[in-house]
């Protein structure tokens, strides 16, 4: 069903901020159209992994290839590479002094040099699709968290990246806004986008992922299909990690039995 | 009360002070803004870390700032003569004013730009934005409120310096205050010049703050 063309290859990646290793020998391939969800306890290196992929962090050894080309070399033209890698952050990071439209248009017009009219028309199309067209002239402070995050997704998407990286994009949201953001991502997954998603929303992970990667202590401990990973995790650490989430459900079940 | 000559002199003095202050601020920014931008981006936390360039500019800024203005005024007389042709009067005072103001402005620009949220800068980087785009569209745009507060402070400081330059023949209101108030004991004229200076400072300050508030989009 999905093409088996390697889009992103991470080989023996080591990362150290100067006080001990954060990523240890991480190797991972992401194929075109694939949705890889990375889960793991806080501080295990998930953000660092994503940040290494688009060059926000320097790596110590190993390499990363995009479309078969090594991007972790000194001569890497990050400006070009990053246009192919869209990234959405937990804290939205919209430009506070720009309207929604200007936030979205900065990339296509100032970085990609696209025609402003054409880019604006596209921005409006996407905003319309996610129900935010009426906010196109609003400033970020006038939006809810969920709206901000959806705008941030549009801002990354309009660059037509080959792969999208999402770093806990719903973690800062009030619960009632989580859904609207996850729905946009599910939509993207359905339309065949290649994505790497870091999330603590386990049900969402299970629904959206082609593959789950379990990261702990800077190492990949498991890689599996969501069905297998969530029903029969192989390692104890993954079991323990999943237990911290299932606790809540067991109590609910217990409650019903009474 | 006073004859026309004195009123005319006060008006001309006010004009000269405004001229020195505003022109010096302008040229102060011509030098200080790029210097501040380079300081901000070459810092080790900046978008183009470069210890060598940072250290050099840092050193220059510190040295110039540690020289008292009156000393600087005398030190740069040869340069002033070379540029303006004479070493006294309003135009001549602009040279030392610019030299004194530029590093101070650079520091304010640097700290304004460093206030810009790192996440927002990374968001721009992650889109592939180049250094120039980030400076222009992110740093200067997002820091503009703080930058304008800086302009206001710079104008106030330069106004004060320009009055100080009056003590050594710098022209403007400071000059008048010294000549009449100090040398001729005409306290009334000195008080009027001081009032004019205070009012000027208040007006310029008020205008600057008004503009910076107008440009702030971060709060409701
Ligand atoms: N800029 C940094 N400097 C030093 N240490 C860092 C930095 N960023 C992250 N770390 C450390 O690296 C580890 C992994 O962090 P991170 O990738 O943010 O984890 P996660 O996203 O999985 O919670 C943590 O121990 C964290 O303290
Ligand atoms: Mg993280």
């Amino acid at each position: 069903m999905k093409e088996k063309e390697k889009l992103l290859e991470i080989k023996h990646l080591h990362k150290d901020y100067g006080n001990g290793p954060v990523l240890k020998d991480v190797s991972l391939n992401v194929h075109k159209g694939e949705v890889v969800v990375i889960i793991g306890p806080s501080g295990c290196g998930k953000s660092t992994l994503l940040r290494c992929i688009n060059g926000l962090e320097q790596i110590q050894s190993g390499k990363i290839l995009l479309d078969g080309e090594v991007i972790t070399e000194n001569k890497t033209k990050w400006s070009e590479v990053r246009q192919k890698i869209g990234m959405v952050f937990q804290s939205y990071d919209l430009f506070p002094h720009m309207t929604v439209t200007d936030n979205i248009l900065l990339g296509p017009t100032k970085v990609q040099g696209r025609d402003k009219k054409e880019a604006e028309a596209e921005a409006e199309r996407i905003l319309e699709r996610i129900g935010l067209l009426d906010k196109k002239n609003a400033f970020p402070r006038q939006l809810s968290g969920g709206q901000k995050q959806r705008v941030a997704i549009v801002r990354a998407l309009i660059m037509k990246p080959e792969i999208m990286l999402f770093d806990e994009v719903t973690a800062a949201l009030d619960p009632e806004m989580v859904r609207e953001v996850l729905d946009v991502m599910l939509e993207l997954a359905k339309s065949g986008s290649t994505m790497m998603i870091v999330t603590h929303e386990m049900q969402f992970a299970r629904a959206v992922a082609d593959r789950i990667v379990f990261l702990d202590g800077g190492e990949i401990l498991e890689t599996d299909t969501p069905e297998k990973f969530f029903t029969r995790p192989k390692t104890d650490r993954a079991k323990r990690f999943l237990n911290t989430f299932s606790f809540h459900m067991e109590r609910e079940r217990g409650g019903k039995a009474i | 009360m006073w004859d026309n000559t004195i009123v005319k002199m006060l008006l001309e003095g006010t004009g000269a002070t405004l001229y020195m202050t505003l022109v010096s601020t302008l040229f102060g920014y011509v030098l200080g803004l790029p210097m501040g931008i380079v300081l901000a981006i070459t810092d080790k936390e900046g978008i183009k870390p470069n210890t060598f360039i940072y250290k050099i500019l840092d050193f220059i800024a510190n040295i110039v700032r540690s020289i008292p203005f009156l000393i600087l005024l005398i030190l740069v007389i040869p340069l002033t003569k070379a540029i303006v042709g004479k070493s006294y009067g309003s135009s001549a005072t602009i040279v030392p004013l610019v030299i004194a103001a530029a590093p101070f402005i650079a520091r304010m620009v640097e700290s304004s730009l460093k206030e810009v949220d790192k996440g927002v800068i990374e968001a721009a980087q992650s889109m592939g934005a180049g250094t120039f785009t980030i400076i222009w569209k992110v740093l200067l745009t997002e820091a503009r409120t703080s930058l304008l507060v800086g302009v206001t402070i710079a104008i106030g400081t330069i106004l004060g310096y320009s009055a100080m330059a009056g003590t050594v023949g710098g022209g403007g209101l400071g000059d008048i205050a010294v000549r009449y108030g100090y040398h001729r004991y005409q306290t009334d004229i000195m008080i009027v010049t001081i009032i004019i200076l205070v009012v000027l400072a208040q007006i310029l300050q008020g205008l600057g703050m008004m503009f910076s508030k107008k440009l702030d989009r971060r709060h409701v």
Side-chain angles (χ1 to χ4, degrees):
Chain A
M1 191 176 74
K2 268 170 179 162
E3 296 167 74
K4 270 293 172 185
E5 195 181 327
K6 276 183 208 160
L7 183 66
L8 182 76
E9 297 165 71
I10 302 169
K11 298 186 177 197
H12 307 293
L13 180 67
H14 289 263
K15 166 69 190 169
D16 193 324
Y17 285 105
N19 40 15
V22 171
L23 294 176
K24 304 170 200 161
D25 197 29
V26 170
S27 295
L28 176 68
N29 293 333
V30 181
H31 299 92
K32 236 184 205 136
E34 194 180 18
V35 177
V36 173
V37 172
I38 301 164
I39 63 175
S42 182
C44 71
K46 306 178 296 294
S47 298
T48 303
L49 178 59
L50 294 191
R51 292 168 59 84
C52 288
I53 294 170
N54 72 358
L56 288 175
E57 300 294 347
Q58 302 260 312
I59 66 168
Q60 271 60 52
S61 67
K63 54 183 167 181
I64 301 174
L65 293 84
L66 184 70
D67 293 322
E69 278 179 47
V70 182
I71 58 170
T72 41
E73 280 178 349
N74 280 335
K75 62 173 168 59
T76 301
K77 291 202 175 74
W78 278 112
S79 177
E80 283 169 26
V81 173
R82 284 170 176 155
Q83 290 175 43
K84 302 185 196 167
I85 305 174
M87 181 143 179
V88 186
F89 303 83
Q90 176 178 333
S91 45
Y92 338 118
D93 296 319
L94 296 178
F95 307 119
H97 280 97
M98 294 183 198
T99 61
V100 165
T101 304
D102 288 341
N103 261 280
I104 298 172
L105 291 186
L106 182 89
T109 59
K110 301 295 169 206
V111 179
Q112 296 180 317
R114 273 159 63 185
D115 177 61
K116 180 148 188 226
K117 282 242 170 62
E118 171 265 326
E120 196 165 356
E122 187 180 356
E124 286 184 5
R125 265 201 313 279
I126 309 178
L127 284 173
E128 166 113 72
R129 217 172 62 214
I130 60 168
L132 283 179
L133 188 57
D134 58 326
K135 299 286 181 196
K136 68 175 185 165
N137 293 321
F139 285 94
R141 64 170 161 82
Q142 298 165 317
L143 304 178
S144 73
Q147 291 171 333
K148 279 187 224 178
Q149 198 55 294
R150 285 185 286 154
V151 170
I153 294 175
V154 176
R155 183 176 67 172
L157 213 55
I158 198 164
M159 308 277 290
K160 302 190 185 2
E162 294 177 11
I163 181 168
M164 289 277 283
L165 313 177
F166 294 87
D167 191 2
E168 294 198 41
V169 294
T170 59
L173 296 179
D174 289 335
E176 73 269 23
M177 291 169 185
V178 168
R179 188 61 201 242
E180 66 189 49
V181 173
L182 296 184
D183 279 342
V184 173
M185 292 162 72
L186 279 166
E187 185 85 13
L188 281 176
K190 260 189 257 163
S191 69
S193 301
T194 314
M195 309 201 268
M196 268 178 97
I197 302 172
V198 171
T199 185
H200 283 297
E201 301 284 339
M202 292 302 146
Q203 289 184 331
F204 167 69
R206 197 166 176 167
V208 80
D210 293 312
R211 206 143 47 96
I212 302 279
V213 170
F214 177 63
L215 196 68
D216 193 6
E219 289 172 287
I220 294 183
L221 292 190
E222 275 186 55
T223 307
D224 221 329
T225 62
E227 288 72 29
K228 282 196 189 138
F229 178 79
F230 284 108
T231 52
R232 276 166 279 126
K234 285 181 282 222
T235 59
D236 282 342
R237 278 202 271 178
K239 272 179 210 151
R240 249 180 284 138
F241 176 73
L242 286 175
N243 269 337
T244 60
F245 289 91
S246 60
F247 178 67
H248 181 66
M249 279 164 49
E250 274 166 26
R251 250 180 58 154
E252 270 178 6
R253 249 183 257 133
K256 267 179 210 146
I258 293 169
Chain B
M1 182 167 86
W2 291 328
D3 56 27
N4 275 338
T5 26
I6 292 184
V7 174
K8 193 162 163 260
M9 177 186 74
L10 285 171
L11 280 177
E12 278 173 4
T14 306
T17 292
L18 270 178
Y19 161 74
M20 283 188 287
T21 304
L22 296 179
V23 173
S24 301
T25 306
L26 181 71
F27 282 106
Y29 270 89
V30 168
L31 293 179
L33 183 65
M35 188 171 166
I37 292 173
V38 175
L39 276 166
I41 66 170
T42 56
D43 183 62
K44 49 183 185 311
E45 299 282 308
I47 54 170
K48 277 257 172 249
N50 187 321
T51 317
F52 183 68
I53 295 178
Y54 185 85
K55 284 262 163 67
I56 290 180
L57 291 181
D58 189 55
F59 179 74
I60 295 175
N62 285 343
I63 286 287
V64 178
R65 264 162 38 102
S66 61
I67 303 174
F69 181 63
L70 273 177
I71 310 279
L72 189 79
L73 211 58
I74 295 158
L75 266 181
V76 299
I77 283 177
L79 181 67
T80 307
K81 273 192 178 146
I83 296 177
V84 189
K86 54 181 186 179
S87 64
Y88 56 90
S90 314
S91 294
T93 308
I94 289 172
V95 176
L97 278 178
V98 169
I99 292 175
F104 160 72
I105 288 170
R107 284 295 186 206
M108 287 201 300
V109 169
E110 178 190 4
S111 83
S112 294
L113 299 187
K114 281 179 175 173
E115 278 166 28
V116 175
D117 181 16
K118 198 138 199 285
V120 167
I121 298 170
E122 283 184 345
Q125 284 178 315
S126 76
M127 292 195 276
T131 308
F132 185 77
T133 308
I134 294 179
I135 291 172
W136 191 246
K137 285 285 158 186
V138 182
L139 293 180
L140 293 178
T141 306
E142 295 307 331
R144 62 187 184 187
T145 308
S146 166
L147 286 169
L148 261 172
V149 172
V151 173
T152 311
I153 296 173
I155 291 179
T157 308
I158 293 172
L159 183 71
Y161 278 0
S162 82
M164 215 194 288
T167 55
V168 290
L173 291 170
D175 204 13
I176 295 170
V178 169
R179 272 192 287 135
Y180 287 79
Y182 188 67
H183 296 306
R184 298 192 200 167
Y185 302 106
Q186 280 182 284
T187 317
D188 52 347
I189 294 188
M190 188 170 76
I191 288 174
V192 172
T193 56
I194 291 170
I195 291 173
I196 297 175
L197 276 170
V198 170
V199 169
L200 277 183
Q202 292 301 321
I203 291 175
L204 294 171
Q205 181 105 0
L207 281 175
M209 289 304 169
M210 196 180 80
F211 277 122
S212 65
K213 280 225 182 71
K214 268 233 165 78
L215 284 174
D216 196 350
R217 300 259 187 268
R218 289 168 301 179
H219 312 287
V220 183

